[in-house]
Structures are given as structure tokens and as C-alpha cells.
Amino acid sequence: GENVEQHPSTLSVQEGDSAVIKCTYSDSASNYFPWYKQELGKGPQLIIDIRSNVGEKKDQRIAVTLNKTAKHFSLHITETQPEDSAVYFCAASLYSSASKIIFGSGTRLSIRP
Amino acid sequence: GAGVSQSPSNKVTEKGKDVELRCDPISGHTALYWYRQSLGQGLEFLIYFQGNSAPDKSGLPSDRFSAERTGGSVSTLTIQRTQQEDSAVYLCASSSQGGSTEAFFGQGTRLTVV
């Protein structure tokens, strides 16, 4: 089955700097890669996603890149702000109507003022 | 409200007791997922429903865990003879089409086994 590994487990960056979180997946059949943000005491919430027919996607300060050959995908947050502090999860699934979503172990991002 | 609703939000139970956790998905969502999140840990997949059937229940940790979904809507996760290692936050999510679309999570049920 699918296995998703995520690094680093914790990340601390200065406000205004960039943050990068990296994930790898094992199942070459996976073709949908969402990223979720979880704030304290809340359920995870989708922030951006990418499908395997696209190499990069950007939404304001957030971008995701995908390397299908290497089975790597990454989240990039630029100009970090205090409200970016949270736990971030990558995930992988099959783009079909019957597929589970497998999550990475999470990255706790802290933004230093 | 239009979000995923889970109840109870907190549950403290004695070791050996059975517990039921409930999830009300977003209306019309055919896919429903259960995950377990231990303190400071990631999201451990438990089971996935498409409609009332469970194509994948591979994540259930033992035969003490079971789940059902009725009417393509509400789902119940049951843990029998609870153990201390079952203590965690149990998260439910739903999506309109399964793995290819956004999954909306509930707030979770924090289960503490004493």
C-alpha cells in the first residue's frame, strides 16, 4: 500500500523567510497530492493540492511542486507570517471515486517574530 | 451548520468499556474517512466508506475496532474493550467524490481511556 514520508518533523523560520516541507510517496499509481494545515484544537484543512499532470501550482504565498519520476513533492511558503504557524500534512491518493487518502507524519512549523 | 460534525467532542472511559464515536458528514458527500491522531503524531488511516460500503478497512488496528455507515450518511466508530493505547483524537472527514477531492474534517473526538 501507499506510504508517505514527510520531512522535517519540526521547522522554525524567521518571519518573512521561506519554509519548505518535503514529502515522498511509494505508490507510483498515486496521482493526487493535497496539503493540509492543522491549527491547534482543529481538524486539518486543505490549503493547496496538485494532480500528477501538473508539475507546479501556486496560490499567493503557497506553492507546491511535484516530481513524479522521483516520487517527491514539496510545499513552499514564502514571506512567512505568524499565522502560518501550524502543523502541515502532505498526503497522497488515487484520483478516483474510491480511494483512501494517506497522510505524512506532519511538520510543525513555527514562525519566529 | 454545513460542516462535518463529530460527537462527543470529548470522551473519558474506563479501560475495558466500549465506546461509540459518531460522525455526521456534509450532506451529499459519498466518501467518509476515519483517522486516528495520537498526541503530536500524524493522521493514521483507519477506514474509508464509499456510500455504505467500506472498500478499505485495512487501517483498523484490531478486531476491537469496527465502523458502520447507514443511509450513506452518519457513521459510527465502535471500540470494544478499550485499552489505554486507544487514547487519541479520532478524526472523521468526508468528501464529495473520494480520494480526488477535498476532504473536510470534523473537530475530532478526544478519547481518553483511564
Side-chain angles (χ1 to χ4, degrees):
Chain A
E2 176 65 276
N3 182 51
V4 178
E5 295 193 356
Q6 182 171 349
H7 301 280
S9 57
T10 60
L11 180 61
S12 178
V13 301
Q14 193 75 33
E15 182 179 351
D17 288 350
S18 296
V20 180
I21 302 170
K22 298 183 178 182
C23 291
T24 61
Y25 61 99
S26 61
D27 189 348
S28 57
S30 290
N31 52 15
Y32 176 65
F33 307 94
W35 286 86
Y36 284 78
K37 177 183 180 181
Q38 185 177 30
E39 297 177 335
L40 196 62
K42 298 183 179 180
Q45 189 169 14
L46 181 74
I47 55 171
I48 195 168
D49 56 12
I50 191 168
R51 297 172 189 169
S52 60
N53 58 346
V54 175
E56 183 173 358
K57 183 176 179 180
K58 191 172 182 180
D59 182 3
Q60 298 183 348
R61 297 186 297 108
I62 294 174
V64 58
T65 59
L66 171 66
N67 182 329
K68 276 203 69 179
T69 303
K71 292 189 275 188
H72 290 175
F73 57 116
S74 301
L75 177 72
H76 304 252
I77 306 174
T78 59
E79 301 172 15
T80 53
Q81 300 170 4
E83 54 265 36
D84 295 330
S85 293
V87 179
Y88 291 80
F89 293 96
C90 60
S93 74
L94 286 172
Y95 190 73
S96 71
S97 62
S99 173
K100 63 187 178 186
I101 306 170
I102 298 300
F103 286 84
S105 53
T107 295
R108 183 174 298 279
L109 176 63
S110 300
I111 307 301
R112 303 191 304 271
Chain B
V4 176
S5 178
Q6 291 188 246
S7 60
S9 54
N10 282 283
K11 176 73 176 178
V12 180
T13 189
E14 292 182 351
K15 178 181 172 181
K17 300 281 190 181
D18 297 352
V19 294
E20 284 189 356
L21 312 180
R22 177 186 170 104
C23 174
D24 280 274
I26 293 172
S27 179
H29 279 192
T30 59
L32 186 147
Y33 311 83
W34 283 99
Y35 291 88
R36 179 168 71 176
Q37 187 172 34
S38 301
L39 187 62
Q41 300 300 309
L43 300 170
E44 178 188 4
F45 170 78
L46 297 179
I47 188 169
Y48 159 68
F49 288 92
Q50 183 68 25
N52 289 336
S53 64
D56 194 326
K57 54 180 76 172
S58 62
L60 294 177
S62 72
D63 58 7
R64 296 188 295 107
F65 288 72
S66 63
E68 65 175 13
R69 189 180 186 194
T70 55
S73 181
V74 172
S75 176
T76 303
L77 177 69
T78 301
I79 308 173
Q80 296 179 311
R81 305 181 303 280
T82 51
Q83 304 295 313
Q84 288 186 331
E85 60 263 29
D86 299 334
S87 296
V89 175
Y90 290 82
L91 288 161
C92 173
S94 70
S95 70
S96 60
Q97 290 183 32
S100 61
T101 56
E102 179 176 0
F104 293 85
F105 281 83
Q107 299 275 66
T109 293
R110 181 175 298 279
L111 175 66
T112 304
V113 181
V114 297

